[in-house]
Amino acid sequence: MASHRKSRPSATRVAGIRTPALATAALTSVALLSQTANAAPSEDGKPSLEEVEKKVDALYRQAESATEKYNAAKEKTGKQRKQVDTLLDDVAQRTDRLNKAREELGSFAAAQYRTGASAPDTSTFLLADTPQDYFDQTQLMNRLTSRQKGAVDDYATQQSATMAKRQEAAKSLETLTETQDDLKTAKSTVQAKLASARELLSQLNAQEKARLAEIEKKQRAAAAAKAAELAKQQAAAERKDVPSSSAPSSGGSSSSSGSAYGTKAAKAIAFARAQIGKPYVWGATGPGSYDCSGLSQAAWKAAGVSLPRTTYDQVNAGTTVSLADARPGDLVFFYDDVTHVGIYIGDGMMIHAPKPGAYVREESIYYGGESIIHSVVRPA
């Protein structure tokens, strides 16, 4: 894993990555909705299929963004809950020790009360039968006073430490509550966006749904054709030994496949390919379903590499490379808010968990146009 890390993504692209047509993903969503509003309605007043598609895509994008926020809050909640549990266990143990120290102090006080013991003085000497009795009693009281002082000091120490831990636990509980609120908010946002998308799709009849599926199929075919064409250009450039920056390399050279990275990448890709056909489910990390970052995390875990949970952190967990230098196994991130990721497999293609209602599949990295590609990261 590379030692250097990038800062959390912002609206500015890193060097070597193409700049999108719009500055932020939020503006992209606004633009899509604006286009929808300005589009001519159908004769019966219903939105056109193109309008529905744009609205649904925008809602899915917003849901995916909320999903990554949910994933981050969920991971943070888990860590904080463990921390709180540890602190509460520590408080319980310290309270037990404090109670024992209190009991020891009580036993000293009770002993003094029963015997009427006090600091040795002249009266003790006068009541003693012999001088030796006096000295024996004096030594006993000195030892008792020393032990009692130690018990008092121990109690004070235990009490101070216990109070500090209780305050720390209370603060951690408060932080945990705030994170849980963030988790609930993100979850509600995802559910609301998906519900809106389902509502739009439910208004379509069977014929319209079939036409919408055909539109999406054609879009995917066009993206795949673009990836194939750029892969051919890359191959031609390599044969002529002319550097090309128009497309990612196929990564099929012997030096690549024989490298340590190539070996790990092959394992990650093999795992991802075995998940093809499993459903996209927001917040899922397998084995029966995945969201986009859950798939990339699981794939690289199969190769022995530990990745963070969210796209926001995965984009910083490796070395950024240019799109032209992408190799199989690299992670391709999308949109300015870095809310989608796919596993590059070469020739302009990737394996990813696309969106709600879809399944893990191979697809062109240009499925939404080149402008939405944020960056490429080599995770190991």
Side-chain angles (χ1 to χ4, degrees), residues 31-44:
L32 287 174
L33 294 175
S34 297
Q35 292 171 8
T36 298
N38 295 329
S42 58
E43 293 181 359
D44 57 3

Side-chain angles (χ1 to χ4, degrees), residues 135-154:
F135 288 117
D136 289 343
Q137 292 176 26
T138 300
Q139 290 177 347
L140 175 62
M141 291 307 301
N142 285 339
R143 288 196 299 271
L144 181 61
T145 303
S146 177
R147 286 181 59 194
Q148 188 173 14
K149 182 178 183 302
V152 170
D153 290 343
D154 181 57

Side-chain angles (χ1 to χ4, degrees), residues 11 68 75 118 122 143 145 161 173 185 196-197 203 285 290 305 311 317 324-325 353 375 379:
E68 288 305 311
E75 184 177 46
S118 59
T122 305
R143 288 196 299 271
T145 303
L173 279 170
T185 299
S196 296
Q203 297 173 11
T285 56
Y290 298 89
V305 177
T311 53
D325 293 329
S375 56

Side-chain angles (χ1 to χ4, degrees), residues 109-187:
Q112 288 181 338
Y113 177 78
R114 287 194 304 270
T115 61
S118 59
D121 54 17
T122 305
S123 63
T124 306
F125 177 76
L126 293 175
L127 292 173
D129 294 334
T130 66
Q132 185 61 48
D133 289 340
Y134 169 78
F135 288 117
D136 289 343
Q137 292 176 26
T138 300
Q139 290 177 347
L140 175 62
M141 291 307 301
N142 285 339
R143 288 196 299 271
L144 181 61
T145 303
S146 177
R147 286 181 59 194
Q148 188 173 14
K149 182 178 183 302
V152 170
D153 290 343
D154 181 57
Y155 178 79
T157 300
Q158 295 293 346
Q159 186 179 43
S160 177
T162 301
M163 290 300 296
K165 283 297 179 180
R166 284 175 178 171
Q167 292 174 357
E168 185 179 356
K171 185 176 181 180
S172 293
L173 279 170
E174 183 179 352
T175 302
L176 175 59
T177 300
E178 292 174 355
T179 306
Q180 287 175 327
D181 289 341
D182 292 340
L183 185 65
K184 292 177 182 178
T185 299
K187 182 176 181 179

Side-chain angles (χ1 to χ4, degrees), residues 254-331:
S254 59
S255 61
S256 171
S257 60
S259 67
Y261 178 76
T263 301
K264 292 179 180 179
K267 291 180 180 179
I269 292 172
F271 178 92
R273 186 164 278 124
Q275 312 314 308
I276 290 176
K278 293 183 178 180
Y280 174 103
V281 174
W282 67 274
T285 56
S289 58
Y290 298 89
D291 63 17
C292 65
S293 56
L295 177 63
S296 55
Q297 182 188 49
W300 271 102
K301 182 179 180 180
V305 177
S306 178
L307 291 181
R309 173 65 181 93
T310 68
T311 53
Y312 308 131
D313 293 324
Q314 287 181 9
V315 75
N316 292 320
T319 305
T320 300
V321 298
S322 68
L323 188 60
D325 293 329
R327 289 165 52 181
D330 291 350
L331 301 180

